[in-house]
Amino acid sequence: MSPFFTRKRGMIITAVLALFFTAQTAFCMGEQPNKKAVVLAAFGTSYPSALVSITNIQKKVQETFPNACVRVAFTSNIIRNIWHKRQNDPEFTKANSDVPKEILYVKGPLATIADLQDDGFRTIIVQPLHVFAGEEFVDLSAYVSGLNAITTLKKKFAPFEKLVISRPALGEPGIEHDYHEDMEKAAKALAQDVAMAAKKNAALVYMGHGNEYFSTGIYAEFQQLMQKTYPETPVLVGTVEGFPSLDDVSARLSHGKIKNVLLRPMMVVAGDHAGNDMAGDEEDSWKSTFKRAGIRVECDVHGLGENSDWVQLYVDHIKDAAKDNQIEL
């Protein structure tokens, strides 16, 4: 082979290698296809039977946005650790073979977002599955703000094209989306619960989680809205932490001389709090407390995530977040 052709061949190989390594460098540094994803951030649950609420939401969101990758993240460190220990428990995995692998290996929001970014998803909407804007939502918002603070010399190498957070079911303080409208939609989503209580000639009592560090007055406001929306059926809302408390609910039941109650969790999943604090047989459970007062109690232990109308609230909030940030899902 002549020196000319040898030189030409070498130049072609060099050019091809240069293009290859340039592409590899761009990919590794973040210049990737702008794929889109939705992260459903829930507190989580350790109860396999309660997972139906979360998987139901994930299924609905994936059906609504078929071109987006939908992942689940648990914000609770304790809950995640429980699931991680179960990975190597053959008895548990055999008895709970229907538990999705994504749950067994569930990660927190930060790790979930990082994995998505590493896989080329640079436009991500984080949808909190919380009921209201309490501690968990504030922390989640801080994570998203922190990640958005990352800057690069060249914009094309930034880790995210857009990383945004949506709002909880009952909205959040601010002027962009009036939380009163969110609460009105949430109240309408619970129509089937009110109808069930009315059929049983019972008052409808919700047990929410509440919060230790933030005002939970929104539950009292929501109770007032529910009573205004459904004036024919008594509706009471209490919390495990904060106001209104179990004592507040008990006092109102006594004042109203109510003797028949349908008790439901105002939580996305019907896990430990619903099964024990609300419907448990212990003396300090809500059910036992009401029974001691001479009230007939029926517990309906299902999470809000099993209510398709409640799930739609989260779907609509994702749509709002996409529209507000010019994201096409």
Side-chain angles (χ1 to χ4, degrees):
M1 185 178 294
S2 70
F4 172 78
F5 286 108
T6 301
R7 256 192 334 271
K8 186 174 182 181
R9 182 184 179 190
M11 291 171 64
I12 292 173
I13 293 175
T14 300
V16 170
L17 287 174
L19 287 171
F20 173 78
F21 284 115
T22 298
Q24 284 293 96
T25 301
F27 181 82
C28 294
M29 291 298 292
E31 191 177 13
Q32 307 165 14
N34 185 15
K35 297 188 290 184
K36 301 177 179 73
V38 175
V39 175
L40 302 175
F43 179 83
T45 179
S46 61
Y47 280 46
S49 60
L51 290 173
V52 61
S53 291
I54 294 174
T55 55
N56 186 45
I57 296 171
Q58 184 179 23
K59 180 181 178 182
K60 177 62 176 179
V61 172
Q62 189 65 80
E63 289 175 351
T64 307
F65 309 106
N67 296 322
C69 174
V70 181
R71 298 269 179 89
V72 171
F74 284 177
T75 59
S76 170
N77 297 331
I78 294 175
I79 298 299
R80 292 199 307 274
N81 288 336
I82 290 174
W83 284 108
H84 295 167
K85 289 178 181 178
R86 290 171 173 171
Q87 295 171 10
N88 301 314
D89 184 344
E91 291 186 9
F92 177 85
T93 53
K94 183 178 180 180
N96 298 275
S97 58
D98 57 337
V99 171
K101 185 177 180 181
E102 183 178 5
I103 299 298
L104 274 176
Y105 292 83
V106 68
K107 296 183 179 182
L110 282 175
T112 303
I113 293 170
D115 286 346
L116 285 167
Q117 193 278 336
D118 200 45
D119 290 337
F121 294 89
R122 298 183 61 235
T123 294
I124 301 173
I125 295 176
V126 179
Q127 175 59 56
L129 299 187
H130 307 132
V131 173
F132 88 113
E135 177 189 358
E136 295 287 325
F137 175 73
V138 170
D139 288 350
L140 186 62
S141 298
Y143 295 160
V144 173
S145 295
L147 291 172
N148 277 319
I150 298 172
T151 58
T152 54
L153 288 176
K154 294 182 179 179
K155 185 177 180 180
K156 64 181 180 179
F157 292 146
F160 306 103
E161 181 73 24
K162 290 178 181 177
L163 173 63
V164 301
I165 185 168
S166 184
R167 60 197 194 278
L170 299 184
E172 62 176 316
I175 60 174
E176 192 168 2
H177 293 283
D178 187 345
Y179 82 92
H180 297 94
E181 295 179 2
D182 285 332
M183 292 217 301
E184 288 173 2
K185 293 176 182 178
K188 291 178 181 178
L190 300 178
Q192 57 185 307
D193 292 354
V194 179
M196 187 188 306
K199 187 176 181 180
K200 299 175 183 293
N201 193 30
L204 176 60
V205 177
Y206 284 109
M207 184 190 77
H209 189 284
N211 199 273
E212 184 178 354
Y213 305 106
F214 290 80
S215 170
T216 54
I218 194 168
Y219 285 98
E221 186 176 352
F222 188 68
Q223 173 183 281
Q224 184 180 34
L225 175 60
M226 287 290 288
Q227 200 60 83
K228 180 181 178 181
T229 307
Y230 308 102
E232 300 301 321
T233 302
V235 180
L236 292 84
V237 182
T239 63
V240 178
E241 298 177 355
F243 173 81
S245 67
L246 171 58
D247 289 342
D248 296 317
V249 174
S250 296
R252 188 175 172 201
L253 288 173
S254 176
H255 180 74
K257 297 181 181 180
I258 294 172
K259 295 298 180 181
N260 196 13
V261 160
L262 174 63
L263 187 55
R264 289 217 58 195
M266 191 175 170
M267 302 177 182
V268 174
V269 300
D272 181 62
H273 285 300
N276 293 314
D277 296 329
M278 188 191 82
D281 294 324
E282 296 78 7
E283 288 188 5
D284 60 347
S285 74
W286 287 40
K287 181 183 76 173
S288 297
T289 300
F290 295 156
K291 281 187 173 182
R292 281 196 303 273
I295 299 173
R296 180 181 176 275
V297 183
E298 180 175 339
C299 297
D300 187 65
V301 189
H302 291 89
L304 295 171
E306 298 181 58
N307 179 341
S308 59
D309 292 329
W310 189 272
V311 174
Q312 189 63 41
L313 299 176
Y314 296 123
V315 171
D316 290 342
H317 289 185
I318 293 170
K319 291 179 179 178
D320 287 342
K323 181 179 179 181
D324 293 344
N325 294 277
Q326 295 78 52
I327 297 172
E328 293 186 11
L329 287 179

